[in-house]
Amino acid sequence: FPRKLSPHTQLLVDSKNGCLMFIPMKHCTLGKALCGALTLFLAVTTHARADAVFQTPQVRAELMVEHASAAPGESLWVALALEAIPKWHTYWRIPGDSGLPTEVRWSLPEGITAGVIHWPLPERIAYGDLMNFGYHGKVLLLTELKIAPDYAGPANPSLDADATWLVCEELCIPEDGAFSLPIQIDANPTLQETAAGAAIAAARAALPQEAPWPVKFLRNGDTFTVSAQVGAESGQFTEAVFFPHVDGLIYNAASQDVR
């Protein structure tokens, strides 16, 4: 813990003070062992009772659902909303040179299954010569729940989940919360949008989409080139940023030359 560090980073464990220190080795010498240190305090987080909202000094976390009811054979979209206080951030599915992605573990009745997290577009977050990928402010992490056509469970089941996330500024704090949200499953449901329904629908519409035009990738030595043949649509673009979906593909902090 954490699961990934920069290859140029040393992990020191201070068992007396209960903290981890992430030290970028290219900036450090043995005589200055604390230079550039990012300290992760292993604070003991307090589990709240299972509820839809969990609050810490750094993050407000809430489990939300788009519709309060659904029929067997249908899907329900839910979101774990994380809202960090100013200057603090959480992490994307690939955190970058340091950090940890948010994880959600579901406890659902038989006949209801959860898909993977659908991640919104992240930010590039620089820390010294490191580059991380994550979110400032509020982010909705979406998951599609599928209800089996032959669902025979309770009519008013509870969606239970445990989530863990890492929130950072100069310090990084691991946090976790337990969530529970009731829904209704009915053969003839009333399609009523919840208070969070519009926000979930908007977040789903803003998810990254597959490119509608040819995209090519070329790796030549230390250069990784992405080419997109956008044609007449090129005038619509003012910015392009590449985020890797696997670790180690690029030097995350390298400048990206866009033409």
Side-chain angles (χ1 to χ4, degrees):
F1 181 77
R3 188 164 49 203
K4 177 181 182 297
L5 292 174
S6 164
H8 302 290
T9 302
Q10 180 180 5
L11 174 63
L12 301 181
V13 180
D14 185 340
S15 59
K16 180 179 179 181
N17 296 318
C19 67
L20 300 179
M21 301 178 194
F22 302 84
I23 302 181
M25 295 305 294
K26 63 180 72 175
H27 288 309
C28 293
T29 64
L30 292 178
K32 296 183 178 180
L34 295 181
C35 72
L38 170 62
T39 304
L40 169 57
F41 286 96
L42 295 180
V44 178
T45 55
T46 302
H47 282 280
R49 64 183 178 86
D51 204 344
V53 177
F54 182 64
Q55 181 79 53
T56 74
Q58 295 78 27
V59 173
R60 182 184 187 275
E62 181 178 3
L63 185 63
M64 308 185 304
V65 63
E66 185 176 12
H67 297 102
S69 60
E74 294 183 344
S75 293
L76 273 177
W77 282 88
V78 296
L80 176 65
L82 299 177
E83 186 170 8
I85 61 175
K87 299 183 179 180
W88 291 70
H89 63 269
T90 55
Y91 288 91
W92 186 49
R93 62 182 299 277
I94 299 294
D97 290 325
S98 62
L100 286 170
T102 298
E103 295 185 357
V104 181
R105 296 169 299 281
W106 293 94
S107 297
L108 301 172
E110 185 175 352
I112 303 179
T113 57
V116 299
I117 293 177
H118 293 260
W119 299 85
L121 183 71
E123 310 167 41
R124 284 166 57 91
I125 303 173
Y127 183 84
D129 64 346
L130 305 180
M131 182 63 69
N132 299 324
F133 309 132
Y135 309 98
H136 287 95
K138 188 173 184 178
V139 61
L140 270 62
L141 305 180
L142 304 178
T143 299
E144 183 181 11
L145 303 182
K146 294 186 177 180
I147 305 168
D150 58 351
Y151 176 81
N156 298 98
S158 177
L159 306 179
D160 298 326
D162 291 304
T164 58
W165 59 90
L166 187 66
V167 59
C168 297
E169 195 225 8
E170 290 296 320
L171 304 178
C172 289
I173 303 176
E175 298 180 341
D176 63 278
F179 304 87
S180 184
L181 193 63
I183 62 167
Q184 182 179 15
I185 298 181
D186 193 310
N188 299 294
T190 302
L191 194 62
Q192 182 177 357
E193 193 175 77
T194 65
I200 292 176
R204 188 169 65 249
L207 288 173
Q209 302 295 315
E210 185 173 340
W213 8 260
V215 178
K216 296 181 180 180
F217 301 86
L218 175 64
R219 190 166 191 169
N220 184 11
D222 288 338
T223 301
F224 182 69
T225 303
V226 183
S227 301
Q229 185 178 343
V230 297
E233 297 175 310
S234 61
Q236 300 178 17
F237 296 93
T238 58
E239 185 180 5
V241 181
F242 179 80
F243 293 96
H245 262 224
V246 294
D247 286 325
L249 181 63
I250 63 172
Y251 293 107
N252 297 318
S255 60
Q256 297 189 10
D257 180 22
V258 182
R259 307 180 188 183

